[in-house]
Amino acid sequence: MAQLSRIILYVQDVERLSVFYREAFGFSLGQHIEGEWAVLQAGPCEIGLLKAGAGYVAPPGGWRGDNNNAKLVFSISEPIDVMRAQLVALGVDMGAVKSYPGLTGPLCDGRDPEGNVFQLMEIVPAEN
């Protein structure tokens, strides 16, 4: 059996996204090569930030990935409205809270500074 241990995002600005994920979610910095590579400790799965190759580099401030085919999902134990409000206060682009009764608790999508989609998923205690 395989176990997912790391997700790697190819990014324009390693330092900017490293700061974003550390400030927004409290992740700690592991491996780091300034401007090229950073590993964030995000629970059992790490997030690697790798500087995109020259063919994929946009002018400063000109990159926003709007055609993502992946979503990072972060399970949170605090009320989703609280964390969403904290992220909005940091200037993070956040969508509305939604849920799918019988399938999920409250969910909310957001985008990091380069447009990568993430989702907050509130952990709802199981009913006995």
Side-chain angles (χ1 to χ4, degrees):
M1 179 176 116
Q3 183 177 358
L4 184 63
S5 59
R6 180 180 289 169
I7 302 268
I8 297 175
L9 298 177
Y10 292 90
V11 302
Q12 301 294 308
D13 189 333
V14 170
E15 302 309 320
R16 180 179 183 200
L17 285 198
S18 175
V19 168
F20 170 78
Y21 282 105
R22 286 184 286 143
E23 288 181 355
F25 298 101
F27 299 151
S28 61
L29 182 63
Q31 299 172 352
H32 184 239
I33 301 171
E34 189 171 342
E36 297 294 324
W37 173 247
V39 175
L40 302 171
Q41 306 303 315
C45 185
E46 299 172 327
I47 300 173
L49 304 172
L50 181 61
K51 175 77 173 169
Y56 299 96
V57 176
W63 175 261
R64 182 169 168 95
D66 287 325
N67 296 316
N68 297 324
N69 59 3
K71 180 186 292 188
L72 303 176
V73 179
F74 303 119
S75 299
I76 60 171
S77 55
E78 66 186 288
I80 199 164
D81 292 331
V82 171
M83 182 138 193
R84 183 185 180 282
Q86 292 169 345
L87 292 168
V88 168
L90 290 172
V92 179
D93 179 13
M94 297 297 297
V97 175
K98 57 188 173 189
S99 66
Y100 300 93
L103 297 175
T104 73
L107 306 169
C108 183
D109 287 354
R111 288 185 177 268
D112 73 17
E114 290 192 6
N116 297 299
V117 179
F118 64 85
Q119 182 175 81
L120 303 178
M121 180 176 70
E122 184 177 330
I123 299 170
V124 178
E127 295 181 18
N128 293 333

